[in-house]
Amino acid sequence: MTRRTLKLDLPSEEETAQLGRTLAGLAIKGDVILLRGQIGAGKSALARAFIRARLGAEVEVPSPTFTLVQTYDAGPVEIWHADLYRLGDPQEAVELGLLDAFETAICLVEWPDLLADLIPQDAIDIRLEVARDSHVATLTFNDTWNERLDTLHVGA
């Protein structure tokens, strides 16, 4: 399976939000979106924009840092927003039901490193980095996302 990488310059928080909104329009049931990056890199901002694009701008989108997972009913598909920063073992993600959600929902996963071998092969990996005057998003994905992301023009 071929993996492809796409680098996007996100010079403002609005561009990060636009990436989230764009991905929200492309995501389907069973998609897993991995959000990596240091604190302050924009993981939560991207996830918040994604969720609001699917559910409406007025929707409250709290950080799942303490609850570990927030779920949202988005009509025919549920959205799971997980923050695994505080987990100590991959088995805890299993106990949360996250692996089942990978098949039945759209999952946004912050701090996914803990999952190790449990990460689905078809997941899109988004690494957000703070650059000198902006943020940079590096998207790594396989054929499942390839055609959908051909339409992506955020910060490109």
Side-chain angles (χ1 to χ4, degrees):
M1 188 174 309
T2 305
R3 302 275 298 163
R4 183 174 158 211
T5 299
L6 175 64
K7 235 178 205 191
L8 302 172
D9 184 37
L10 305 172
S12 73
E13 191 173 325
E14 176 53 33
E15 270 86 7
T16 301
Q18 183 57 46
L19 175 58
R21 290 189 293 268
T22 300
L23 291 170
L26 300 174
I28 59 175
K29 176 182 163 183
D31 280 342
V32 177
I33 301 169
L34 308 174
L35 301 172
R36 302 177 194 267
Q38 66 191 48
I39 293 173
K43 299 179 301 295
S44 294
L46 190 148
R48 190 172 294 112
F50 181 105
I51 293 164
R52 287 183 174 154
R54 298 289 290 236
L55 300 176
E58 72 289 344
V59 171
E60 180 76 23
V61 183
S63 171
T65 299
F66 297 105
T67 58
L68 303 178
V69 173
Q70 294 285 343
T71 60
Y72 302 88
D73 182 5
V77 66
E78 202 171 36
I79 298 173
W80 281 50
H81 180 197
D83 184 330
L84 306 183
Y85 185 77
R86 297 185 316 115
L87 292 189
D89 182 278
Q91 185 58 36
E92 293 177 65
V94 174
E95 291 167 8
L96 287 171
L98 195 55
L99 297 188
D100 291 333
F102 287 168
E103 297 177 17
T104 62
I106 297 170
C107 296
L108 303 163
V109 183
E110 296 186 45
W111 304 100
D113 293 338
L114 176 85
L115 293 172
D117 296 343
L118 301 177
I119 292 174
Q121 277 189 306
D122 290 339
I124 180 171
D125 195 310
I126 302 174
R127 178 168 301 280
L128 295 162
E129 299 172 285
V130 178
R132 185 179 186 128
D133 294 322
S134 67
H135 288 84
V136 175
T138 303
L139 288 67
T140 305
F141 50 93
N142 65 18
D143 297 337
T144 305
W145 279 92
N146 199 24
E147 191 172 304
R148 288 184 272 171
L149 290 176
D150 280 344
T151 64
L152 191 62
H153 298 290
V154 177

Short mmCIF file of all heavy atoms in Angstrom, two decimals, residues 89-120:
data_model
loop_
_atom_site.label_atom_id
_atom_site.label_comp_id
_atom_site.label_asym_id
_atom_site.label_seq_id
_atom_site.Cartn_x
_atom_site.Cartn_y
_atom_site.Cartn_z
N ASP A 89 -1.65 2.92 28.68
CA ASP A 89 -1.52 1.60 28.06
C ASP A 89 -2.52 1.51 26.90
O ASP A 89 -3.65 1.98 27.03
CB ASP A 89 -1.83 0.54 29.13
CG ASP A 89 -1.67 -0.86 28.61
OD1 ASP A 89 -2.60 -1.36 27.96
OD2 ASP A 89 -0.61 -1.44 28.86
N PRO A 90 -2.15 0.89 25.78
CA PRO A 90 -3.08 0.76 24.66
C PRO A 90 -4.39 0.06 25.03
O PRO A 90 -5.43 0.33 24.45
CB PRO A 90 -2.30 -0.06 23.63
CG PRO A 90 -0.88 0.16 23.97
CD PRO A 90 -0.83 0.36 25.46
N GLN A 91 -4.35 -0.83 26.00
CA GLN A 91 -5.55 -1.55 26.42
C GLN A 91 -6.64 -0.58 26.90
O GLN A 91 -7.82 -0.85 26.76
CB GLN A 91 -5.22 -2.58 27.50
CG GLN A 91 -6.38 -3.45 27.89
CD GLN A 91 -6.98 -4.25 26.73
OE1 GLN A 91 -6.28 -4.70 25.83
NE2 GLN A 91 -8.29 -4.40 26.73
N GLU A 92 -6.22 0.56 27.45
CA GLU A 92 -7.20 1.55 27.91
C GLU A 92 -8.01 2.11 26.74
O GLU A 92 -9.20 2.40 26.89
CB GLU A 92 -6.49 2.67 28.67
CG GLU A 92 -5.87 2.23 29.98
CD GLU A 92 -5.12 3.35 30.66
OE1 GLU A 92 -5.76 4.35 31.06
OE2 GLU A 92 -3.88 3.25 30.77
N ALA A 93 -7.39 2.24 25.58
CA ALA A 93 -8.11 2.71 24.39
C ALA A 93 -9.13 1.67 23.96
O ALA A 93 -10.25 2.01 23.54
CB ALA A 93 -7.13 2.99 23.26
N VAL A 94 -8.77 0.40 24.09
CA VAL A 94 -9.70 -0.68 23.78
C VAL A 94 -10.90 -0.61 24.72
O VAL A 94 -12.06 -0.71 24.30
CB VAL A 94 -9.00 -2.06 23.87
CG1 VAL A 94 -10.01 -3.19 23.69
CG2 VAL A 94 -7.87 -2.16 22.85
N GLU A 95 -10.63 -0.43 26.01
CA GLU A 95 -11.69 -0.35 27.02
C GLU A 95 -12.61 0.84 26.79
O GLU A 95 -13.80 0.78 27.12
CB GLU A 95 -11.08 -0.30 28.42
CG GLU A 95 -10.41 -1.60 28.81
CD GLU A 95 -9.53 -1.49 30.05
OE1 GLU A 95 -9.55 -0.43 30.72
OE2 GLU A 95 -8.82 -2.47 30.35
N LEU A 96 -12.09 1.91 26.23
CA LEU A 96 -12.92 3.08 25.91
C LEU A 96 -13.86 2.81 24.73
O LEU A 96 -14.78 3.57 24.48
CB LEU A 96 -12.05 4.28 25.57
CG LEU A 96 -11.32 4.96 26.71
CD1 LEU A 96 -10.32 5.99 26.16
CD2 LEU A 96 -12.30 5.65 27.64
N GLY A 97 -13.60 1.76 23.98
CA GLY A 97 -14.40 1.45 22.79
C GLY A 97 -13.86 2.07 21.53
O GLY A 97 -14.51 2.07 20.48
N LEU A 98 -12.65 2.62 21.60
CA LEU A 98 -12.09 3.35 20.47
C LEU A 98 -11.88 2.45 19.25
O LEU A 98 -12.16 2.87 18.13
CB LEU A 98 -10.78 4.03 20.88
CG LEU A 98 -10.24 5.10 19.97
CD1 LEU A 98 -11.28 6.19 19.71
CD2 LEU A 98 -8.98 5.71 20.55
N LEU A 99 -11.43 1.23 19.45
CA LEU A 99 -11.19 0.36 18.30
C LEU A 99 -12.49 0.03 17.57
O LEU A 99 -12.51 -0.04 16.33
CB LEU A 99 -10.48 -0.93 18.73
CG LEU A 99 -9.08 -0.74 19.31
CD1 LEU A 99 -8.41 -2.08 19.53
CD2 LEU A 99 -8.22 0.16 18.47
N ASP A 100 -13.57 -0.16 18.31
CA ASP A 100 -14.87 -0.37 17.68
C ASP A 100 -15.29 0.88 16.91
O ASP A 100 -15.83 0.79 15.79
CB ASP A 100 -15.93 -0.73 18.72
CG ASP A 100 -15.70 -2.10 19.34
OD1 ASP A 100 -15.09 -2.96 18.68
OD2 ASP A 100 -16.12 -2.29 20.49
N ALA A 101 -15.04 2.04 17.49
CA ALA A 101 -15.41 3.31 16.85
C ALA A 101 -14.63 3.52 15.55
O ALA A 101 -15.14 4.15 14.62
CB ALA A 101 -15.17 4.48 17.81
N PHE A 102 -13.42 2.98 15.46
CA PHE A 102 -12.64 3.11 14.23
C PHE A 102 -13.41 2.54 13.04
O PHE A 102 -13.22 2.98 11.91
CB PHE A 102 -11.31 2.38 14.35
CG PHE A 102 -10.28 3.05 15.22
CD1 PHE A 102 -9.14 2.37 15.60
CD2 PHE A 102 -10.44 4.36 15.66
CE1 PHE A 102 -8.17 2.96 16.39
CE2 PHE A 102 -9.48 4.97 16.46
CZ PHE A 102 -8.34 4.27 16.82
N GLU A 103 -14.28 1.59 13.27
CA GLU A 103 -15.05 0.96 12.19
C GLU A 103 -16.41 1.60 11.98
O GLU A 103 -16.96 1.55 10.88
CB GLU A 103 -15.22 -0.52 12.49
CG GLU A 103 -13.91 -1.27 12.52
CD GLU A 103 -14.08 -2.74 12.89
OE1 GLU A 103 -15.21 -3.25 12.80
OE2 GLU A 103 -13.07 -3.36 13.26
N THR A 104 -16.99 2.19 13.02
CA THR A 104 -18.38 2.64 12.95
C THR A 104 -18.57 4.15 12.96
O THR A 104 -19.68 4.63 12.76
CB THR A 104 -19.18 2.07 14.13
OG1 THR A 104 -18.62 2.56 15.36
CG2 THR A 104 -19.15 0.54 14.13
N ALA A 105 -17.51 4.90 13.22
CA ALA A 105 -17.61 6.35 13.38
C ALA A 105 -16.50 7.03 12.59
O ALA A 105 -15.69 6.38 11.92
CB ALA A 105 -17.49 6.71 14.87
N ILE A 106 -16.48 8.34 12.65
CA ILE A 106 -15.33 9.13 12.21
C ILE A 106 -14.58 9.46 13.49
O ILE A 106 -15.17 9.99 14.44
CB ILE A 106 -15.75 10.43 11.49
CG1 ILE A 106 -16.53 10.11 10.22
CG2 ILE A 106 -14.53 11.29 11.20
CD1 ILE A 106 -17.19 11.32 9.58
N CYS A 107 -13.30 9.15 13.55
CA CYS A 107 -12.52 9.35 14.78
C CYS A 107 -11.39 10.34 14.58
O CYS A 107 -10.59 10.20 13.65
CB CYS A 107 -11.94 8.02 15.25
SG CYS A 107 -13.20 6.83 15.72
N LEU A 108 -11.37 11.34 15.44
CA LEU A 108 -10.27 12.30 15.51
C LEU A 108 -9.49 11.95 16.76
O LEU A 108 -10.05 11.97 17.86
CB LEU A 108 -10.82 13.73 15.63
CG LEU A 108 -11.77 14.17 14.52
CD1 LEU A 108 -12.56 15.39 14.95
CD2 LEU A 108 -10.99 14.46 13.26
N VAL A 109 -8.22 11.61 16.62
CA VAL A 109 -7.44 11.12 17.75
C VAL A 109 -6.21 11.99 17.97
O VAL A 109 -5.28 11.99 17.15
CB VAL A 109 -7.01 9.65 17.53
CG1 VAL A 109 -6.26 9.13 18.75
CG2 VAL A 109 -8.22 8.77 17.21
N GLU A 110 -6.23 12.73 19.08
CA GLU A 110 -5.05 13.51 19.47
C GLU A 110 -4.13 12.62 20.30
O GLU A 110 -4.58 11.78 21.05
CB GLU A 110 -5.48 14.72 20.30
CG GLU A 110 -6.32 15.71 19.53
CD GLU A 110 -6.62 16.97 20.33
OE1 GLU A 110 -5.69 17.51 20.96
OE2 GLU A 110 -7.79 17.40 20.31
N TRP A 111 -2.82 12.82 20.15
CA TRP A 111 -1.80 12.04 20.85
C TRP A 111 -1.96 10.53 20.56
O TRP A 111 -2.06 9.72 21.48
CB TRP A 111 -1.82 12.31 22.35
CG TRP A 111 -1.66 13.76 22.69
CD1 TRP A 111 -2.66 14.63 23.03
CD2 TRP A 111 -0.45 14.52 22.71
NE1 TRP A 111 -2.14 15.88 23.25
CE2 TRP A 111 -0.77 15.84 23.07
CE3 TRP A 111 0.89 14.21 22.46
CZ2 TRP A 111 0.18 16.85 23.19
CZ3 TRP A 111 1.83 15.22 22.58
CH2 TRP A 111 1.48 16.52 22.93
N PRO A 112 -1.98 10.12 19.29
CA PRO A 112 -2.25 8.73 18.95
C PRO A 112 -1.08 7.76 19.16
O PRO A 112 -1.26 6.55 19.00
CB PRO A 112 -2.60 8.81 17.46
CG PRO A 112 -1.77 9.96 16.97
CD PRO A 112 -1.81 10.95 18.10
N ASP A 113 0.09 8.26 19.51
CA ASP A 113 1.26 7.38 19.64
C ASP A 113 1.02 6.21 20.57
O ASP A 113 1.56 5.13 20.37
CB ASP A 113 2.49 8.17 20.12
CG ASP A 113 2.97 9.15 19.07
OD1 ASP A 113 2.66 8.95 17.88
OD2 ASP A 113 3.63 10.13 19.44
N LEU A 114 0.20 6.42 21.60
CA LEU A 114 -0.06 5.36 22.56
C LEU A 114 -0.68 4.13 21.90
O LEU A 114 -0.49 3.02 22.36
CB LEU A 114 -0.99 5.85 23.67
CG LEU A 114 -1.37 4.75 24.65
CD1 LEU A 114 -0.30 4.62 25.72
CD2 LEU A 114 -2.71 4.97 25.23
N LEU A 115 -1.39 4.34 20.81
CA LEU A 115 -2.07 3.22 20.15
C LEU A 115 -1.11 2.22 19.52
O LEU A 115 -1.45 1.05 19.36
CB LEU A 115 -3.03 3.74 19.07
CG LEU A 115 -4.23 4.52 19.57
CD1 LEU A 115 -4.98 5.13 18.39
CD2 LEU A 115 -5.13 3.66 20.41
N ALA A 116 0.07 2.67 19.15
CA ALA A 116 1.11 1.82 18.56
C ALA A 116 0.53 0.96 17.44
O ALA A 116 0.06 1.47 16.44
CB ALA A 116 1.79 1.00 19.63
N ASP A 117 0.54 -0.35 17.61
CA ASP A 117 0.10 -1.30 16.57
C ASP A 117 -1.41 -1.30 16.34
O ASP A 117 -1.88 -1.94 15.40
CB ASP A 117 0.52 -2.72 16.94
CG ASP A 117 2.03 -2.89 16.97
OD1 ASP A 117 2.73 -2.02 16.43
OD2 ASP A 117 2.51 -3.88 17.55
N LEU A 118 -2.16 -0.59 17.17
CA LEU A 118 -3.62 -0.57 17.03
C LEU A 118 -4.10 0.47 16.02
O LEU A 118 -5.28 0.54 15.71
CB LEU A 118 -4.26 -0.32 18.39
CG LEU A 118 -3.94 -1.34 19.49
CD1 LEU A 118 -4.59 -0.94 20.80
CD2 LEU A 118 -4.38 -2.73 19.07
N ILE A 119 -3.19 1.29 15.51
CA ILE A 119 -3.57 2.32 14.55
C ILE A 119 -3.98 1.65 13.24
O ILE A 119 -3.23 0.85 12.68
CB ILE A 119 -2.40 3.31 14.30
CG1 ILE A 119 -2.14 4.13 15.56
CG2 ILE A 119 -2.70 4.22 13.11
CD1 ILE A 119 -0.92 5.02 15.49
N PRO A 120 -5.16 1.99 12.73
CA PRO A 120 -5.61 1.40 11.45
C PRO A 120 -4.70 1.79 10.29
O PRO A 120 -4.21 2.92 10.23
CB PRO A 120 -7.01 1.99 11.26
CG PRO A 120 -7.44 2.49 12.59
CD PRO A 120 -6.18 2.86 13.31
#
